[in-house]
Amino acid sequence: MDNLTRYRLFEGLDPQALADIAAHARLLDVPRDVVLFEEDTPAARLYAIQNGWIRLYKLAVDGRQSVIRLSGPAEVVGISTVLPNARYTLSAQTITACRLIVWQADDLRTLIERYPTLQSNSLRLLAEYREALQQQLLELATEHVEQRLAHALIRLADHYGLPADDPEHIALPLMQRDLADLIGVSHYTVSRLLHLWQHQGLVQAQRGRVVIIDRQRLTTLADTPPE
């Protein structure tokens, strides 16, 4: 079982409590492109991501996915499960093969009664997700595509970035399609911008990942509207 101290949901809990929580969980290996749960269905399970990536989305009227968030290692999805009689507010689908830690809703609520810190941590996470969504909607309404993509790359790097071959570079193991879905543009638009930024020395677009070469210039680009 993964070290649960990696997950913010379990902050402030002592080793005995963490061992009890881990004893109620099971490990699950899931291939890519599997729907874990669907919007507006009963919240039956909470998932903690050991490895891999998950997209959280809403379905538009025409059936297209509107991606709300990408979640990676050391995050939880299905946080609505902590609330009684809750329903999922988003759908979740694996982007890559994932190893997940899973709790059933009934077990989780028993643990919440036993360890009230779980409840306060989960409410804090829900508030943060809501704030992040508001920021994303603001960017969608007010920023140019270049700024939105730069902001998305910076946020993802801060949360999930991995060391690249050069220790000053940051690798994001994501497909360009996932970035396009996240900021609400076409795959072609993201591909074109990354190609341009690669020539400018900001990023490297590689198969299955994007490497940030110059974070400072990317931050400047995010905060500066194009002329």
Side-chain angles (χ1 to χ4, degrees), residues 115-132:
Y115 308 111
T117 299
L118 273 176
Q119 182 79 4
S120 57
N121 286 350
S122 61
L123 293 176
R124 174 166 51 84
L125 288 175
L126 283 167
E128 290 177 5
Y129 293 155
R130 188 180 305 112
E131 182 178 345

Side-chain angles (χ1 to χ4, degrees), residues 126-146:
L126 283 167
E128 290 177 5
Y129 293 155
R130 188 180 305 112
E131 182 178 345
L133 176 58
Q134 290 173 344
Q135 178 62 33
Q136 186 176 334
L137 292 173
L138 178 64
E139 291 173 6
L140 188 63
T142 63
E143 292 186 350
H144 293 269
V145 173
E146 294 89 338

Side-chain angles (χ1 to χ4, degrees), residues 52-92:
W53 289 80
I54 293 172
R55 76 166 61 87
L56 293 126
Y57 62 92
K58 284 183 172 290
L59 283 179
V61 175
D62 60 5
R64 289 183 299 173
Q65 292 184 2
S66 177
V67 176
I68 305 301
R69 191 169 75 251
L70 301 177
S71 292
E75 280 202 323
V76 297
V77 297
I79 193 71
S80 300
T81 311
V82 303
L83 303 173
N85 303 314
R87 304 179 79 82
Y88 293 119
T89 58
L90 302 170
S91 298

Side-chain angles (χ1 to χ4, degrees), residues 145-146 176 187-197:
V145 173
E146 294 89 338
Q176 294 180 23
H187 180 190
Y188 169 78
T189 298
V190 167
S191 178
R192 177 178 57 81
L193 284 174
L194 291 178
H195 183 72
L196 173 63
W197 291 353

